[in-house]
């Protein structure tokens, strides 16, 4: 056997024993799919349990399988939720929509304006201001709740809608997102062209910048809405009367009545919890089109 034949034989042996890249890729994809499937089951599991539990009465809730349906009592549970204590659940729902909707809308507008200013205006101390913004959203909101309560007590805003709306208007993390999105989508050339055409700064912001930042604004609004809708510690501290409570505080109060007065409202709490996640699901579906179609809004023609 010549040297050339021997090397050719060795090369063929190495090719036969070498792992197939396509096989390794398929193995990695299977592993990824299994991991995603397990994560999906883990995420859906609490929602499925909540749906099943909302269809049961109090007896079936404790005596039947928690992961499958028993006697159907969903409609009676819904009727009790909407009529208990003269329909206070509807008032809590309206309060949650007010705090999350109006507060997030105003907070989004302020965040977009602040982020645009930090990204496209050069002024003394801009770096320090941005550092303060970044440092602010690293502070847990729980640490600010007591100072906010003391401040609102001094000016008489405790147990009023303003005690929830004012903190919602100021969100440093939303300012950070707006700044990053502005830097990626709003070019200096476009702003200079608008100024040369005689447009003022307010007109540039409302007519050009806001329209190009629809995608970023939708993201900021959705994050703020979900955060305010799920807020618990702040409304628990600054809201006292039942007429001003949010859904989370109201359901928490219902769940505590069993220990206080012996009244078991578990079925109503679970049904109310199921109803409380529907607005967020609708919001996610409604905002999806902005993320999908708004990616090219910042492009120059």
């Amino acid at each position: 056997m010549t040297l050339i034949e021997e090397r050719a034989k060795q090369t063929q042996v190495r090719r036969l024993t070498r792992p197939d890249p396509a096989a390794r890729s398929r193995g990695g994809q299977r592993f990824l799919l299994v991991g995603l499937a397990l994560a999906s089951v883990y995420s859906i599991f609490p929602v499925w349990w909540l749906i099943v539990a909302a269809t049961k009465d109090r007896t079936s809730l404790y005596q039947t399988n928690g992961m499958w349906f028993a006697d159907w009592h969903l409609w009676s549970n819904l009727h009790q939720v909407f009529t208990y204590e003269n329909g206070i659940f509807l008032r809590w729902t309206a309060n949650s929509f007010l705090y999350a909707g109006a507060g997030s809308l105003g907070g989004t507008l302020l965040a977009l304006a602040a982020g645009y200013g930090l990204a496209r205006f050069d002024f003394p101390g801009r770096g320090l201001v941005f550092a303060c913004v970044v440092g602010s959203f690293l502070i847990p909101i729980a640490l600010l709740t007591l100072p906010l309560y003391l401040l609102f007590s001094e000016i008489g805003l405790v147990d009023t809608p303003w005690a929830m709306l004012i903190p919602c208007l100021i969100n440093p993390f939303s300012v950070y997102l707006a700044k990053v999105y502005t830097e990626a989508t709003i070019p200096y050339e476009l702003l200079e062209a608008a100024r040369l055409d005689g447009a003022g700064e307010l007109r540039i912001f409302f007519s050009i910048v806001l329209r190009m930042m629809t995608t970023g604004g939708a993201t900021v609004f959705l994050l703020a809405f979900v955060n305010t809708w799920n807020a618990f510690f702040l409304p628990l501290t600054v809201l006292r009367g039942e007429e001003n409570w949010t859904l989370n505080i109201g359901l928490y109060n219902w769940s505590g009545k069993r220990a206080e007065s012996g009244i078991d409202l578990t079925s109503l709490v679970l049904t109310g919890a199921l109803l409380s996640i529907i607005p967020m699901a609708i919001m996610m579906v409604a905002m999806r089109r902005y993320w999908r179609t708004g990616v090219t809004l910042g492009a120059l023609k």
Side-chain angles (χ1 to χ4, degrees):
M1 181 182 295
T2 64
L3 181 60
I4 296 177
E5 292 176 345
E6 185 179 354
R7 289 183 176 178
K9 185 176 180 180
Q10 293 176 355
T11 302
Q12 185 177 6
V13 171
R14 285 196 298 267
R15 289 178 178 176
L16 293 175
T17 58
R18 183 183 302 171
D20 186 7
R24 287 188 300 177
S25 177
R26 288 192 295 269
Q29 290 178 356
R30 293 193 189 99
F31 180 78
L32 180 61
L33 290 176
V34 171
L36 291 176
L38 293 176
S40 299
V41 172
Y42 178 79
S43 301
I44 296 174
F45 183 83
V47 180
W48 172 255
W49 178 85
L50 185 61
I51 293 174
V52 172
T55 63
K56 300 180 180 181
D57 59 359
R58 184 176 58 184
T59 303
S60 300
L61 188 63
Y62 294 114
Q63 297 181 0
T64 61
N65 184 6
M67 297 306 301
W68 197 247
F69 300 96
D71 296 334
W72 191 265
H73 293 279
L74 177 61
W75 310 125
S76 61
N77 289 339
L78 290 174
H79 180 265
Q80 293 179 24
V81 167
F82 291 133
T83 58
Y84 188 76
E85 293 185 346
N86 298 320
I88 191 65
F89 182 84
L90 296 176
R91 179 62 183 267
W92 296 339
T93 304
N95 291 338
S96 295
F97 272 111
L98 173 64
Y99 304 148
S104 300
L105 185 62
T108 299
L109 183 61
L110 292 177
L112 293 178
Y116 167 67
L118 288 173
R120 289 295 178 256
F121 288 91
D122 190 11
F123 55 89
R126 184 177 68 169
L128 178 61
V129 172
F130 181 66
C132 292
V133 170
V134 175
S136 297
F137 70 74
L138 297 178
I139 301 176
I141 187 61
L143 296 180
L144 302 177
T145 301
L146 183 58
L148 285 174
Y149 174 78
L150 296 176
L151 175 62
F152 291 152
S153 297
E154 291 293 329
I155 59 180
L157 294 182
V158 172
D159 201 26
T160 66
W162 292 109
M164 282 293 298
L165 290 174
I166 292 177
C168 294
L169 296 176
I170 304 172
N171 191 332
F173 184 67
S174 297
V175 175
Y176 172 77
L177 290 180
K179 178 184 182 297
V180 172
Y181 191 81
T182 300
E183 292 175 342
T185 58
I186 309 296
Y188 283 104
E189 295 81 3
L190 180 63
L191 301 178
E192 291 299 326
R195 294 188 181 104
L196 290 176
D197 288 339
E201 295 299 334
L202 289 178
R203 184 177 180 183
I204 292 174
F205 177 71
F206 286 103
S207 299
I208 299 176
V209 175
L210 285 184
R211 293 185 180 182
M212 296 180 65
M213 295 180 65
T214 304
T215 302
T219 304
V220 170
F221 175 80
L222 181 60
L223 292 176
F225 184 92
V226 173
N227 183 58
T228 305
W229 186 273
N230 292 329
F232 179 80
F233 195 49
L234 178 63
L236 180 65
T237 305
V238 300
L239 300 177
R240 298 175 181 175
E242 290 188 5
E243 67 279 0
N244 292 324
W245 284 352
T246 62
L247 275 175
N248 290 337
I249 303 304
L251 295 177
Y252 173 75
N253 178 67
W254 280 0
S255 65
K257 285 191 174 182
R258 181 177 182 180
E260 296 177 0
S261 57
I263 302 176
D264 190 357
L265 300 177
T266 305
S267 297
L268 273 67
V269 172
L270 295 175
T271 306
L274 178 62
L275 293 174
S276 68
I277 67 176
I278 294 178
M280 287 188 290
I282 295 175
M283 189 68 64
M284 290 290 293
V285 174
M287 290 294 180
R288 183 180 57 182
R289 66 187 183 94
Y290 289 102
W291 299 332
R292 184 177 63 251
T293 60
V295 175
T296 59
L297 288 178
L300 284 175
K301 296 184 179 178

